[in-house]
Amino acid sequence: MVISVDHLTWMYETMYKIRYYEDKMAEAYAEGKNPVFNIGAGPVPGEMHLATGQEPAAVGICVHLKKEDTVTSPHRPHHHAIAKGVDLNRMTAEIFGKVTGLGKGKGGHMHLFDPDVKFSCGGIVGAGIPHALGAALAAKKKGTDWVAVAFIGEGAANQGAFHESLNMAALWNLPLIVVIENNQYGISVPKSASTSVPSNDIRAVAYGMKGYYVKDNDPIEMYDVSKEAVERARKGEGPSIIEIETYRYLGHFQGDPELYRDKNEVTLLREKDPIIRMRQFLITEYGIEEQRLIELENKAKQEVESAYQFARESDDPNPEDALNDLFV
């Protein structure tokens, strides 16, 4: 498949931006938490789940989406949010608990909501699938060509919400795409110890829908299969499952001792880093000059740096506002 240079450079810039953002967040999150790890200390208290290494899953499909399409995300949401175009300043301020955040500082990093680009996330495993299903149903009832994408981890594919939602999506022929990020571990449990099938795309046949599998964290293959899945959904040809074999370089959460995997595992994974591979692909296969890529990298860095500065300089919420904007 021939891919436009605009799409390729957007993917590279966005992958680089995600990586730089997560690296900065790892540093910010660690502030005040050493030498003894204290989850409540520092400028970013609470749990933190970073997506370093999983960038292809987000950019490979979001490059095909438009503002009106819905994306739902789980507890590891930053790469999806950035790829969907969530306001980076307000997103970062939310993670820092500032009043200028997407939720006025009350949600934190697992509860990012940006209705301007129809993005949401939550910490309950598998909970975003029914939400995306509802968005897909709404899109169909309105007679639009909008699609809904639910990102989940491979562990969530064993939740009841996964099976119930896919059955309904197929029954009603809805424009739903479920992207399963198989990063090999459900917290600390390897997939082989929790899932009866080698890959979740083969479950698609049980619901009468299309299933795709992307090997080895390949952003170009993710682009290709996502293009087909999105086009099918827009034309009214029904839902799809995409499972991508991806890798997280960091623990399930920041502070995770990672006793469940070999010490050399991440070193070996980084040797086939998708951003490095993508960069080389653009130079060798499309003749994009290295200087152009450096410019994209610098642009991404500046945007991230500005977002972190905005977050740090924003005001904390007023204590008297704690009960505002609540449903109960």
Side-chain angles (χ1 to χ4, degrees), residues 3-19 55-67 71 78-86 117 151 219-220 222-223 226 275 278 282 286 288 292-293 295-297 299-300 303:
I3 306 175
S4 74
V5 172
D6 286 345
H7 276 185
L8 287 169
T9 53
W10 180 89
M11 288 172 65
Y12 179 75
E13 178 185 350
T14 306
M15 288 173 68
Y16 192 92
K17 185 190 302 182
I18 292 167
R19 179 69 59 86
E55 300 87 359
V59 302
I61 189 166
C62 285
V63 68
H64 301 294
L65 302 183
K66 51 190 179 181
K67 187 177 181 180
V71 166
H78 302 166
H79 53 325
H80 309 139
I82 293 172
K84 187 58 168 71
V86 170
V117 295
F151 286 98
I220 302 302
M222 185 64 186
Y223 176 97
S226 297
I275 297 178
M278 183 72 167
L282 295 181
Y286 278 79
I288 297 176
R292 171 60 175 149
L293 298 180
E295 291 171 359
L296 294 175
E297 293 163 1
K299 178 185 172 187
E303 187 176 346

Side-chain angles (χ1 to χ4, degrees), residues 100-287:
T100 53
L102 293 166
K104 301 181 182 178
K106 297 178 180 179
H109 109 99
M110 285 190 283
H111 306 95
L112 304 170
F113 297 89
D114 190 347
D116 291 341
V117 295
K118 299 176 75 171
F119 176 87
S120 65
C121 66
I124 300 174
V125 174
I129 314 171
H131 299 164
L133 178 76
L137 177 61
K140 182 173 183 177
K141 283 184 171 292
K142 288 181 177 181
T144 70
D145 69 346
W146 304 342
V147 305
V149 176
F151 286 98
I152 64 171
E154 83 286 346
N158 296 324
Q159 292 284 331
F162 174 84
H163 302 282
E164 294 171 22
S165 297
L166 289 179
N167 180 66
M168 195 174 293
L171 185 65
W172 293 345
N173 199 44
L174 300 181
L176 174 69
I177 302 167
V178 177
V179 176
I180 303 167
E181 292 180 81
N182 175 16
N183 66 15
Q184 319 306 314
Y185 297 99
I187 306 179
S188 60
V189 180
K191 181 181 175 181
S192 60
S194 66
T195 304
S196 63
V197 291
S199 61
N200 287 290
D201 59 295
I202 66 176
R203 286 174 160 168
V205 70
Y207 307 105
M209 63 176 66
K210 286 279 288 186
Y212 305 88
Y213 186 76
V214 177
K215 295 181 180 179
D216 203 25
N217 213 19
D218 186 344
I220 302 302
E221 181 67 15
M222 185 64 186
Y223 176 97
D224 289 348
V225 302
S226 297
K227 184 175 189 293
E228 180 178 321
V230 171
E231 287 178 351
R232 288 185 64 256
R234 293 202 194 285
K235 291 187 292 186
E237 296 178 4
S240 303
I241 296 173
I242 302 172
E243 176 161 304
I244 176 171
E245 178 188 16
T246 191
Y247 313 105
R248 58 170 166 83
Y249 295 163
L250 306 176
H252 171 68
F253 58 91
Q254 293 304 98
D256 180 0
E258 301 182 67
L259 300 177
Y260 48 87
R261 61 179 176 180
D262 188 276
K263 293 180 180 179
N264 295 322
E265 181 178 305
V266 174
T267 300
L268 295 174
L269 291 175
R270 286 185 180 273
E271 290 179 358
K272 53 180 181 178
D273 186 89
I275 297 178
I276 296 174
R277 287 158 54 195
M278 183 72 167
R279 195 179 200 276
Q280 190 61 33
F281 177 81
L282 295 181
I283 293 172
T284 59
E285 299 297 325
Y286 278 79

Side-chain angles (χ1 to χ4, degrees), residues 43 89-108 308-318:
N89 284 357
R90 296 178 64 210
M91 168 179 155
T92 311
E94 182 62 32
I95 296 170
F96 275 75
K98 298 301 183 74
V99 71
T100 53
L102 293 166
K104 301 181 182 178
K106 297 178 180 179
Y308 275 84
Q309 182 177 357
F310 175 83
R312 289 183 183 274
E313 294 177 354
S314 293
D315 293 331
D316 293 322
N318 294 319

Side-chain angles (χ1 to χ4, degrees), residues 28-39:
Y29 183 76
E31 292 177 24
K33 293 183 173 67
N34 294 311
V36 179
F37 182 75
N38 180 352
I39 198 170

